[in-house]
């Protein structure tokens, strides 16, 4: 059975780097997902009240908070180079407009483009996360504009339900695959056991791809 053991790491502050690296050194993990759930050490996806608190610290505007979020994400990307990048635009979940595509926010868009380019450069995989759909958003993480930009850079995607319980396993996957097809994603990346030099930290894990059409033919989607 091809089961990989990994963890999701949360970048909260610069000192997170040493803590995460200690965990990776201590335990024989085979992958990790790099994520950001806090800005100014305040959770931004737990409640509207906490989102508002983080926004106040950023100066009171959604745009500045979004900029701070993507700057923190970039800090995480450079420090850790996570094999999988989790829920790229999670910051929009508790915002006033959770379905925003950031189009009118030039500083935010620059930061998004910078982060996507860096992920592509080091070979990271971007998570298509269906939890956004489960929580009522119109598009998964990342949204369609961001997904198309990453695709144009030659970036690779994987899929995730971000399940926090057995009842959420595979949740909204049909909608997720429809979204992927609409965006123009033709293949999905997945990891499995096998020798690879893709990431020297995980020499026993290899990266493979399957086509979207083949994935749709799986009995799960029947």
């Amino acid at each position: 059975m091809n089961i990989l053991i990994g963890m999701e790491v949360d970048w909260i502050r610069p000192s997170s780097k040493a803590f995460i690296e200690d965990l990776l050194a201590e335990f024989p993990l085979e992958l990790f997902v790099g994520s950001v759930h806090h800005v100014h050490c305040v959770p931004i996806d737990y409640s509207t009240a906490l989102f508002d608190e983080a926004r106040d610290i950023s100066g009171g505007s959604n745009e500045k908070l979004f900029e701070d979020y993507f700057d923190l994400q970039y800090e995480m990307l450079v420090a850790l180079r996570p094999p999988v990048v989790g829920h790229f635009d999670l910051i929009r979940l508790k915002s006033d407009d959770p379905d925003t595509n950031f189009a009118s926010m030039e500083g935010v868009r620059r930061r998004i483009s910078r982060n996507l380019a860096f992920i592509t450069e080091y070979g990271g995989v971007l998570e298509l996360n269906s939890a956004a759909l489960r929580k009522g958003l119109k598009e998964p993480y990342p949204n369609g504009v961001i997904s198309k930009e990453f695709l144009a850079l030659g970036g690779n995607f994987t899929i995730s339900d971000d399940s926090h319980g057995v009842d959420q396993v595979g949740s909204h996957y049909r909608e997720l695959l429809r979204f992927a097809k609409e965006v123009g994603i033709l293949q999905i990346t997945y990891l499995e056991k096998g020798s690879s030099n893709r990431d020297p930290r995980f020499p026993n894990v290899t990266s493979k791809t399957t086509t979207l059409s083949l994935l749709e033919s799986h009995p799960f989607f029947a």
Side-chain angles (χ1 to χ4, degrees), residues 32-163:
F32 70 94
V33 178
S35 304
V36 174
H37 298 84
H38 299 72
V39 181
H40 309 302
C41 300
V42 179
I44 47 82
D45 66 324
Y46 184 76
S47 70
T48 301
L50 286 170
F51 177 92
D52 291 347
E53 180 181 336
R55 180 172 58 190
D56 288 343
I57 297 171
S58 284
S61 75
N62 282 340
E63 185 168 0
K64 187 61 175 70
L65 177 59
F66 295 163
E67 289 178 355
D68 291 347
Y69 170 85
F70 286 111
D71 280 342
L72 192 64
Q73 184 183 72
Y74 185 67
E75 185 178 290
M76 180 272 294
L77 293 171
V78 171
L80 300 177
R81 299 186 176 222
V84 178
V85 180
H87 41 63
F88 182 87
D89 52 350
L90 177 70
I91 188 63
R92 59 191 173 92
L93 176 64
K94 296 296 182 181
S95 69
D96 302 330
D97 180 14
D99 293 310
T100 180
N101 62 12
F102 312 104
S104 64
M105 304 177 183
E106 183 180 348
V108 178
R109 288 295 315 157
R110 285 200 309 269
R111 288 165 171 81
I112 288 172
S113 296
R114 173 198 61 194
N115 293 9
L116 294 176
F118 186 75
I119 295 168
T120 306
E121 177 185 318
Y122 78 80
V125 176
L126 201 58
E127 173 197 60
L128 279 178
N129 186 314
S130 68
L133 302 173
R134 172 165 51 83
K135 294 177 181 180
L137 278 63
K138 294 179 181 178
E139 295 181 313
Y141 310 119
N143 66 27
V145 171
I146 295 172
S147 294
K148 288 177 181 178
E149 181 174 349
F150 190 62
L151 186 64
L153 291 171
N156 295 311
F157 297 84
T158 192
I159 62 173
S160 167
D161 52 31
D162 206 343
S163 58

Side-chain angles (χ1 to χ4, degrees), residues 191-210:
L191 303 177
E192 67 175 27
K193 294 181 185 293
S195 60
S196 171
N197 59 5
R198 177 180 178 274
D199 189 328
R201 296 170 298 181
F202 307 106
N204 299 316
V205 176
T206 187
S207 174
K208 294 189 174 182
T209 61
T210 185

